[in-house]
Amino acid sequence: MAEAIYVGGLLVATPLLDDPNFRRSVVLILEHDVDGGTLGVVLNRPSDISVTQVLPVWDPLVTGPSVLFEGGPVQTDSALALAAVPSGQEPLGWRRLHAGTPAVSRLGTVDLDAPPEILQGEIAQMRIFAGYAGWTSGQLESEIAEGAWYVVDSEAGDTFHTDPGSLWRNVLRRQPGELAFVATCPDDPTLN
């Protein structure tokens, strides 16, 4: 298990975290600054809103399911897109995450104000998130210390997981030691 919060890492909600915004969520960290705070998106919350309803021009580039994902409770009326490039190139309209981990080395944000045509054929996968998760300086560290989050390494398939509903269990199951057993925790721990 990783110890530090870092761009490209995952925050996995512990069974103790019952905030409805984050219950059993997996958050990809997009920005982290000890003084400025942390920003990420929830990877496993597809919404019922299709991309065609909100950003139809981007629908052809979106990796299924073709819906907006609930990225978090902050600025839910704004959209943020993540895309993976097939090579080390940096196409126009795409900005690489500043992460040192191979799992997210080809991952970046998409400028949704750019014309989609400039990214056609330049990106391999893409998802659009409504809102994001944000923590002020020290807030996330406190939540981790209180037992709300596990900080773990991401793998290449996490961001565009084909079955978002199983991502929480899958990420936990692959962890070493006792953490893997948390994946078997029932939805309601009081029934255990």
Side-chain angles (χ1 to χ4, degrees), residues 1-191:
M1 186 164 73
E3 293 180 16
I5 301 165
Y6 62 95
V7 172
L10 296 177
L11 298 172
V12 180
T14 71
L16 299 173
L17 184 57
D18 60 359
D19 175 338
N21 291 309
F22 295 112
R23 191 171 181 284
R24 295 208 170 201
S25 65
V26 177
V27 177
L28 176 68
I29 299 169
L30 303 180
E31 293 177 15
H32 177 66
D33 181 337
V34 177
D35 300 321
T38 306
L39 182 144
V41 289
V42 177
L43 297 177
N44 59 335
R45 291 272 160 75
S47 75
D48 295 330
I49 302 168
S50 72
V51 172
T52 54
Q53 287 177 264
V54 185
L55 294 162
V57 295
W58 288 101
D59 187 62
L61 299 180
V62 169
T63 304
S66 188
V67 296
L68 289 180
F69 277 66
E70 296 171 16
V74 182
Q75 291 188 358
T76 55
D77 58 345
S78 66
L80 182 153
L82 289 177
V85 293
S87 67
Q89 300 297 320
E90 293 204 20
L92 281 172
W94 181 86
R95 187 174 61 99
R96 184 180 308 280
L97 291 183
H98 295 290
T101 58
V104 293
S105 64
R106 294 185 174 170
L107 198 59
T109 56
V110 172
D111 177 359
L112 292 171
D113 291 328
E117 301 79 41
I118 66 170
L119 286 165
Q120 187 80 40
E122 298 288 330
I123 58 173
Q125 295 170 298
M126 179 173 152
R127 283 228 164 114
I128 300 175
F129 300 87
Y132 62 89
W135 294 266
T136 57
S137 179
Q139 182 184 7
L140 181 56
E141 291 83 350
S142 295
E143 290 182 16
I144 292 168
E146 292 166 4
W149 300 100
Y150 302 117
V151 183
V152 302
D153 294 331
S154 61
E155 289 186 1
D158 293 339
T159 303
F160 306 104
H161 199 276
T162 54
D163 180 15
S166 69
L167 184 61
W168 184 82
R169 280 197 163 89
N170 289 348
V171 169
L172 286 170
R173 203 173 284 130
R174 71 178 186 232
Q175 301 308 312
E178 294 182 15
L179 193 51
F181 292 115
V182 176
T184 63
C185 183
D187 283 341
D188 184 351
T190 61
L191 301 176

